[in-house]
Amino acid sequence: MAITIESSVWEPNPSIYIFLFFSCCFSIFLFPHFTNSNRTSTVFDHGISSSFLRFQRKFILLYSLSSVMEGLWLAFGEFELASYGVGREQMVMSLCYRFGASLIASPFLGVISDLIGHKKACLFFGILHLFVGIWKRVSEYPSIFVTSICLSLASTIFSFSFESWMVTLHEKQGHRLDSLNDTFWLMAFSEPACFIASQVFANWLVGDNFEKKTAPSTAAIFLATVCITFLSRGWAENPQAISLKDYSVSFYAYILGDKRIWLLGWAQACLYFSIGIFWILWAPTVVADGREVHLGLIYPFFLGSRMLGSTVFPWLTSGRLPIRTEDWLVYAYIILGLVLSIIAYDYQEIGVLVTLFILFHACVGLILPSLARLRTMYVPNELRGGMMGLSLAPANAAMLLSLVEGGYYRNVGNAALMAFGVLGLLTSAGCMHALKQWGKQPYNNWHKQ
């Protein structure tokens, strides 16, 4: 007699989508009634010049296009590798290629971006995506090594060049320094929104026909072409005239010689590492329950909660609350550490895990623009790319070691990898507390000296 085994399927509550959407809307549209426009500028402040609004909207459009390109490969990458018959070990090797390339290149790309100009670096970002799109479109079996290296370099440039370029343009055009906060949270808000759009776009392009695996490559070619054209014709840049020797002297004095930058860099590196560990391990953690889970339905929750977290940033920087950036970062890092520690404990109820994942990304959404604000306070614009690129190196080294030992050789368990992330996040909270004690009082940043 045959035995039928019924599989249990876990599906998220659709009302969570509605809750995240309306929460973001309420947070954004109720903010003008809370803010004190006499103390700080906001996107809703009618006193902001029209030239700044044009600059901001133009940049956010460019950043959104670039985010869609990044998100397209993030949403489609694993499916694409599976469609070529790539196994688990080869996928792990692909990730090793990416983090290894970023480990080697990130410090140099940051310095080069500062020296030649961030616009040229952003153009190179678009060229890399264009090359990968064409390579995948014309090649029946594109090299995993080549595509992984190119996408790794593009992601590294994306992580610091756009922000550095925006801050430099903002200062050169003479816009109000406090209006940078608006652009920071708009960038933090638009990036996950564009990642969601990328997922929808990739699903629409592929549909149920697995033979259409080259369709996202065609879309990437189109988006990269638009981005390159926009960058080439719509922006002007005069890169700083400084030699590598003078840059090295300044970098040693203002970056390597400043203990506050070390604290900020460590906090950034630990955040990047914890995010990377999360994205690699969240799916195995969820399916360990034994039930069937549609992971594509959970993915938008994380990005939506990150959008919601970013909308908290303008409330905290409005000037109405007597709290410093370092203060709320201490609490945010502690919450991240506690959440990741519960996940590392291997609690296997899917509903609880998804709730913890949502809380994790809400805190990430708040931390990212807050760190950008601290970089503006402590890091000279001329050295910003080098500092951000250097802070990526320890995170990439830790990710590469985790993949080799945990993913390839399986000498370290998932819980232990998350525990390392927890340790880094808790030490980052200590770094933020120390930064508050050692920082300039009160917010007398170097731009005003």
Side-chain angles (χ1 to χ4, degrees):
M1 184 178 71
I3 300 176
T4 303
I5 301 177
E6 295 184 1
S7 61
S8 176
V9 180
W10 187 91
E11 293 184 356
N13 191 336
S15 61
I16 301 179
Y17 299 106
I18 301 174
F19 170 76
L20 291 174
F21 175 78
F22 281 104
S23 296
C24 289
C25 292
F26 283 132
S27 180
I28 293 172
F29 292 110
L30 290 179
F31 174 65
H33 302 286
F34 173 83
T35 185
N36 184 353
S37 60
N38 293 325
R39 295 188 61 181
T40 185
S41 63
T42 72
V43 291
F44 304 99
D45 186 355
H46 297 293
I48 294 181
S49 65
S50 59
S51 61
F52 170 73
L53 290 177
R54 287 194 299 270
F55 160 77
Q56 187 182 65
R57 291 166 183 170
K58 190 177 179 182
F59 177 80
I60 292 299
L61 175 60
L62 173 64
Y63 187 74
S64 298
L65 285 173
S66 304
S67 299
V68 171
M69 282 194 293
E70 277 288 292
L72 197 62
W73 297 123
L74 291 176
F76 185 69
E78 187 174 347
F79 165 80
E80 183 185 38
L81 291 176
S83 67
Y84 288 118
V86 175
R88 176 190 172 278
E89 289 190 358
Q90 289 177 295
M91 288 186 181
V92 173
M93 288 303 301
S94 173
L95 291 173
C96 290
Y97 294 150
R98 296 194 64 169
F99 285 107
S102 184
L103 168 63
I104 297 172
S106 58
F108 300 102
L109 286 176
V111 173
I112 293 172
S113 178
D114 284 333
L115 291 175
I116 68 174
H118 299 292
K119 175 185 174 180
K120 293 185 178 66
C122 294
L123 275 171
F124 186 53
F125 163 84
I127 292 171
L128 285 171
H129 275 285
L130 180 63
F131 171 77
V132 172
I134 294 175
W135 178 272
K136 291 186 176 184
R137 191 70 179 84
V138 301
S139 177
E140 184 176 359
Y141 296 102
S143 169
I144 296 177
F145 176 78
V146 173
T147 55
S148 298
I149 297 297
C150 290
L151 290 177
S152 173
L153 296 178
S155 297
T156 301
I157 294 172
F158 179 79
S159 64
F160 59 77
S161 283
F162 284 92
E163 179 191 311
S164 302
W165 185 34
M166 183 275 295
V167 174
T168 302
L169 286 175
H170 187 280
E171 183 182 42
K172 288 184 177 180
Q173 296 182 11
H175 300 303
R176 292 168 55 180
L177 185 60
D178 55 359
S179 60
L180 272 173
N181 293 332
D182 294 324
T183 311
F184 286 148
W185 84 261
L186 285 174
M187 291 172 65
F189 182 87
S190 62
E191 182 181 337
C194 291
F195 284 175
I196 294 176
S198 299
Q199 182 192 24
V200 175
F201 192 34
N203 290 336
W204 175 75
L205 288 172
V206 177
D208 296 328
N209 186 1
F210 295 158
E211 298 299 325
K212 296 170 63 177
K213 58 188 177 184
T214 58
S217 301
T218 304
I221 294 172
F222 172 76
L223 291 172
T225 303
V226 173
C227 185
I228 292 172
T229 304
F230 193 28
L231 278 166
S232 302
R233 299 184 178 182
W235 303 86
E237 182 186 38
N238 295 318
Q240 56 179 326
I242 183 174
S243 65
L244 179 60
K245 181 179 180 180
D246 293 336
Y247 180 91
S248 301
V249 172
S250 299
F251 194 85
Y252 180 82
Y254 291 104
I255 304 299
L256 299 181
D258 192 337
K259 59 187 177 182
R260 297 165 303 178
I261 304 299
W262 283 92
L263 295 175
L264 183 58
W266 177 256
Q268 292 177 183
C270 292
L271 179 68
Y272 295 145
F273 173 70
S274 64
I275 293 174
I277 284 293
F278 173 87
W279 282 113
I280 291 176
L281 298 181
W282 78 270
T285 303
V286 169
V287 299
D289 180 84
R291 286 177 284 180
E292 181 181 352
V293 182
H294 297 293
L295 300 178
L297 299 178
I298 303 177
Y299 179 75
F301 286 168
F302 307 155
L303 299 177
S305 59
R306 186 168 151 188
M307 293 167 62
L308 179 59
S310 68
T311 64
V312 178
F313 177 74
W315 289 73
L316 296 174
T317 58
S318 63
R320 294 293 296 272
L321 298 175
I323 184 172
R324 291 170 59 99
T325 306
E326 296 90 335
D327 289 328
W328 72 68
L329 280 175
V330 169
Y331 296 117
Y333 271 113
I334 291 175
I335 294 174
L336 276 184
L338 293 176
V339 167
L340 202 60
S341 65
I342 297 174
I343 298 172
Y345 184 70
D346 203 22
Y347 193 94
Q348 294 189 356
E349 173 55 42
I350 298 180
V352 175
L353 285 174
V354 172
T355 303
L356 293 172
F357 293 162
I358 290 175
L359 181 58
F360 179 91
H361 282 278
C363 291
V364 169
L366 172 61
I367 290 176
L368 289 175
S370 301
L371 290 177
R373 189 185 192 208
L374 290 181
R375 285 191 289 269
T376 303
M377 291 168 52
Y378 295 115
V379 182
N381 290 343
E382 294 80 5
L383 309 173
R384 193 184 188 108
M387 180 269 174
M388 296 179 68
L390 185 62
S391 68
L392 288 174
N396 288 318
M399 284 301 305
L400 181 60
L401 182 63
S402 299
L403 285 169
V404 172
E405 292 296 326
Y408 194 80
Y409 292 111
R410 300 189 180 184
N411 293 329
V412 182
N414 294 348
L417 295 177
M418 289 188 180
F420 284 118
V422 172
L423 180 62
L425 291 171
L426 295 180
T427 57
S428 297
C431 288
M432 291 296 101
H433 178 73
L435 185 62
K436 177 186 175 181
Q437 303 299 319
W438 295 348
K440 300 172 183 177
Q441 302 286 339
Y443 292 122
N444 182 26
N445 66 64
W446 74 276
H447 295 276
K448 295 181 179 179
Q449 294 181 354

